[in-house]
Amino acid sequence: HVQLVESGGGSVQAGGSLRLSCAGYGFTYEWYCMAWFRQRPGKEREGVAQIYGGGGSMWYTDSVAGRFTISQDNAKKTLYLEMNMVKPEDTAMYYCAADSRVCWSPNDALSPRDFGFWGQGTQVTVS
């Protein structure tokens, strides 16, 4: 039974930093493609960053590249998103997602349909 539990959200001032965590349970972490998505009010869910549990290159959406860093601790089965130089437009509910496959490089953006397991989300508010 795959379970993803996010934490670390909160309120932060523009220009500040925040780190999100996603603890994974019930699956072999190294065999899964892991990702962070976010959903802003009135918007569709969008992919933010992606990494393969078994290691390899990361992918970022253009709007966060150079500011956000995705990383993982395989021993702890935990995914992280380090958010730096945050902007008000980063305000959203952030979701951890996983799928039992290698990651593939998206042509344009990550699709939520490609991920079968989701956490409950953690709210990030930038003011």
Side-chain angles (χ1 to χ4, degrees):
H1 176 63
V2 176
Q3 189 176 9
L4 303 171
V5 181
E6 300 102 332
S7 62
S11 297
V12 61
Q13 290 190 334
S17 299
L18 206 62
R19 189 176 81 157
L20 307 183
S21 300
C22 170
Y25 302 93
F27 64 103
T28 303
Y29 186 91
E30 290 78 9
W31 297 352
Y32 278 64
C33 182
M34 305 296 297
W36 287 100
F37 283 76
R38 67 185 180 186
Q39 190 161 17
R40 291 176 276 193
K43 303 289 187 180
E44 293 185 350
R45 193 167 296 191
E46 65 169 338
V48 174
Q50 172 184 267
I51 188 170
Y52 181 51
S57 60
M58 290 77 78
W59 174 91
Y60 298 93
T61 193
D62 287 346
S63 61
V64 309
R67 300 188 298 120
F68 292 8
T69 302
I70 190 171
S71 64
Q72 58 195 1
D73 184 330
N74 289 52
K76 296 181 179 180
K77 291 187 176 182
T78 300
L79 181 72
Y80 301 101
L81 184 69
E82 185 76 33
M83 305 169 63
N84 296 314
M85 296 180 289
V86 295
K87 304 175 181 179
E89 52 263 43
D90 294 321
T91 294
M93 184 71 79
Y94 283 73
Y95 297 91
C96 174
D99 203 68
S100 179
R101 56 173 171 83
V102 297
C103 294
W104 52 70
S105 296
N107 292 328
D108 181 23
L110 295 181
S111 171
R113 293 187 297 273
D114 291 335
F115 290 83
F117 302 98
W118 294 85
Q120 81 286 353
T122 186
Q123 177 68 37
V124 172
T125 302
V126 183
S127 59

